């Protein structure tokens, strides 16, 4: 069982870019749809618009500069040091453009989520919408999953599907998928916060009620 079930959970959101998924999470928390506190937003890009969004909502922000840590593991050690003083129950990757190594992931088993703009396991990695169009699929969508040591390979929590239209471009498909992302990520976090997610091998079971 993951999440706490009854107490309010502390979230960290890791970002690199425009922060539209972060905004959906903030809105869901502020609307009382998720019983969670966004403890802080961490970015590896100093001027990311996501940080600006967090500040507007009076959420603590931290920028950790990758240029100071050429090795990925050294960067992650710096993040881990910060997490020692600001512990969290769940880390949500929301457009965070760094691949996490086992060093970091093993510290948070079943406690890191990611959102990907395709129906995994199809079209993992970058430029997912372009890959979907080139492949000619008739449906695409988004996937919220727990993070494991692969690229977009962890156990799937929630997916949202959209049709692919004849005249779609990567941008028009991305916009349709994004509407699903705004629903799926807050919903996955809500289920975690309610203690209703259970990882069973590759599968995530969603309990009707929190397990005790
Ligand atoms: C989203 O499409 C998400 O699925 C992917 O990166 C994008 C992030 O955008 N992982 P934003 O920074 O949340 O606006």
């Amino acid at each position: 069982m993951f999440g706490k079930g009854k107490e309010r959970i502390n979230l960290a959101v890791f970002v690199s870019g425009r922060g539209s998924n972060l905004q959906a999470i903030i809105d869901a928390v502020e609307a009382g749809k998720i019983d969670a506190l966004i403890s802080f937003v961490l970015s590896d890009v100093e001027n990311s618009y996501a940080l600006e969004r967090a500040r507007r909502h009076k959420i603590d922000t931290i920028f950790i500069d990758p240029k100071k840590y050429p090795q990925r593991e050294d960067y992650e050690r710096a993040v881990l040091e910060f997490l020692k003083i600001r512990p969290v129950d769940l880390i949500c990757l929301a457009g965070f453009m760094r691949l996490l190594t086992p060093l970091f992931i093993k510290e948070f088993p079943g406690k890191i989520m990611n959102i990907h703009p395709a129906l995994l396991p199809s079209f993992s990695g970058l430029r997912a919408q372009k890959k979907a169009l080139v492949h000619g699929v008739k449906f695409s969508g988004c996937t919220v999953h727990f993070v494991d040591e692969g690229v977009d390979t962890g156990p799937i929590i929630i997916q949202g599907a959209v049709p692919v239209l004849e005249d779609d471009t990567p941008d028009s498909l991305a916009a349709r998928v994004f509407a699903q992302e705004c629903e799926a990520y807050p919903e996955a976090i809500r289920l975690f916060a309610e203690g209703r997610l259970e990882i069973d091998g590759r599968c995530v079971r969603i309990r009707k009620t929190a397990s005790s």
Side-chain angles (χ1 to χ4, degrees):
M1 203 266 283
F2 295 93
K4 288 184 170 178
K6 293 202 171 63
E7 292 165 52
R8 176 167 294 180
I9 65 162
N10 283 311
L11 295 181
V13 185
F14 288 11
V15 296
S16 301
R18 63 190 170 140
S20 38
N21 276 286
L22 168 67
Q23 189 67 55
I25 296 167
I26 292 172
D27 292 346
V29 169
E30 290 187 348
K33 293 181 186 162
I34 307 172
D35 193 14
L37 176 78
I38 304 177
S39 176
F40 64 88
V41 172
L42 178 146
S43 179
D44 64 339
V45 176
E46 188 167 22
N47 59 0
S48 58
Y49 187 59
L51 287 180
E52 178 58 28
R53 291 182 195 265
R55 286 185 208 109
R56 285 185 191 173
H57 289 265
K58 311 251 179 302
I59 297 167
D60 287 351
T61 60
I62 174 164
F63 161 60
I64 300 185
D65 188 353
K67 291 194 199 80
K68 291 188 182 161
Y69 309 96
Q71 299 295 324
R72 284 200 291 162
E73 285 84 354
D74 291 335
Y75 186 85
E76 292 175 359
R77 281 187 195 97
V79 177
L80 288 171
E81 281 306 306
F82 183 74
L83 281 160
K84 274 187 198 157
I85 48 173
R86 292 292 291 270
V88 294
D89 302 297
L90 177 66
I91 295 169
C92 296
L93 309 182
F96 186 60
M97 299 307 286
R98 302 180 70 80
L99 290 178
L100 295 171
T101 77
L103 173 107
F104 190 90
I105 291 167
K106 72 177 169 41
E107 297 293 326
F108 299 96
K111 292 185 173 181
I112 309 173
M113 283 184 191
N114 183 41
I115 187 156
H116 181 74
L119 294 175
L120 292 172
S122 294
F123 316 125
S124 59
L126 297 173
R127 291 178 287 282
Q129 293 91 353
K130 184 165 182 209
K131 289 175 187 166
L133 291 177
V134 168
H135 200 90
V137 293
K138 301 300 183 193
F139 285 88
S140 190
C142 70
T143 304
V144 184
H145 63 94
F146 284 113
V147 172
D148 67 7
E149 292 171 9
V151 177
D152 301 324
T153 53
I156 291 168
I157 304 166
I158 285 187
Q159 293 184 302
V162 300
V164 177
L165 307 182
E166 289 296 325
D167 56 354
D168 260 333
T169 63
D171 284 347
S172 65
L173 178 56
R176 201 172 309 115
V177 169
F178 177 66
Q180 291 290 312
E181 294 181 38
C182 291
E183 302 283 323
Y185 215 168
E187 175 66 2
I189 298 167
R190 182 178 73 83
L191 292 169
F192 181 98
E194 291 176 0
R196 290 171 56 193
L197 299 180
E198 192 173 271
I199 299 177
D200 176 10
R202 272 221 51 83
C203 298
V204 178
R205 313 272 176 219
I206 300 176
R207 293 175 172 272
K208 288 208 167 58
T209 54
S211 62
S212 49

